[in-house]
């Protein structure tokens, strides 16, 4: 569970997405889910879109099937939260705490992003955190 202020903040983002002109026309399945489940699209790549629910749950829309389902992969869940916190910095406090002494990610030098052909993309080593979180195996 996430604090009430965070739910409210995510809820405002959901409303902003829904209010954006022509969104429903471009992706009706997603628009309907955003409205009914109250989820905020925070990250997208060729494979899918990650969405954050007002309750803090992470969902994925698969771009092949267009199906939307809760995301169980911890790395993708982290990417969703890091992306959300990039857009709404208040949410940073809900990211995993960095253990004292954890060095910066060597690939992105602690920025969470790398530059590929003039485009900033999320670091695939630390998943945008800027340091490497130990995932349970
Ligand atoms: Zn990195």
């Amino acid at each position: 569970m996430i604090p009430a202020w965070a739910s409210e903040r995510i809820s405002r983002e959901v409303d902003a997405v829904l209010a954006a002109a022509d969104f429903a026309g471009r992706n009706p399945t997603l628009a309907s889910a955003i409205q009914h489940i109250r989820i905020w699209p925070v990250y997208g790549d060729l494979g899918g879109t990650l969405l954050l629910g007002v309750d803090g749950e992470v969902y994925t829309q698969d771009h092949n099937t267009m199906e939307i389902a809760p995301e169980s992969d911890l790395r993708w869940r982290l990417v969703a939260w890091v992306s959300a916190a990039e857009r709404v910095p208040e949410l940073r406090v809900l990211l995993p705490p960095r253990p004292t002494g954890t060095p910066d990610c060597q690939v992105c030098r602690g920025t969470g992003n790398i530059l590929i052909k003039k485009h900033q993309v999320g670091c695939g080593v630390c998943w945008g955190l800027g340091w490497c979180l130990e995932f349970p195996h």
Side-chain angles (χ1 to χ4, degrees):
M1 278 308 283
I2 58 172
W5 64 262
S7 285
E8 244 160 66
R9 195 62 191 77
I10 293 168
S11 191
R12 286 207 327 255
E13 294 297 327
V14 172
D15 289 335
V17 171
L18 290 172
D22 84 337
F23 183 75
R26 277 186 289 137
N27 198 334
T29 314
L30 189 58
S32 162
I34 290 171
Q35 191 162 17
H36 294 105
I37 321 175
R38 304 283 304 159
I39 45 180
W40 170 34
V42 289
Y43 173 91
D45 61 22
L46 290 176
T49 300
L50 290 171
L51 306 106
L52 190 58
V54 292
D55 58 355
E57 184 55 77
V58 175
Y59 295 82
T60 300
Q61 180 181 39
D62 184 308
H63 285 175
N64 290 320
T65 63
M66 296 315 258
E67 243 173 70
I68 295 168
E71 179 59 67
S72 56
D73 187 286
L74 293 175
R75 288 166 181 83
W76 287 118
R77 293 177 63 89
L78 178 63
V79 169
W81 273 101
V82 169
S83 304
E86 264 169 22
R87 298 194 198 184
V88 178
E90 298 105 282
L91 297 174
R92 279 209 147 266
V93 296
L94 300 175
L95 294 178
R98 180 175 181 162
T100 329
T102 309
D104 281 352
C105 170
Q106 292 187 348
V107 174
C108 64
R109 297 199 176 89
T111 62
N113 291 293
I114 51 172
L115 205 58
I116 294 181
K117 294 185 179 166
K118 294 182 183 169
H119 293 283
Q120 287 275 357
V121 297
C123 176
V125 172
C126 64
W127 299 84
L129 266 185
W131 53 275
C132 294
L133 179 69
E134 294 279 332
F135 286 99
H137 295 288

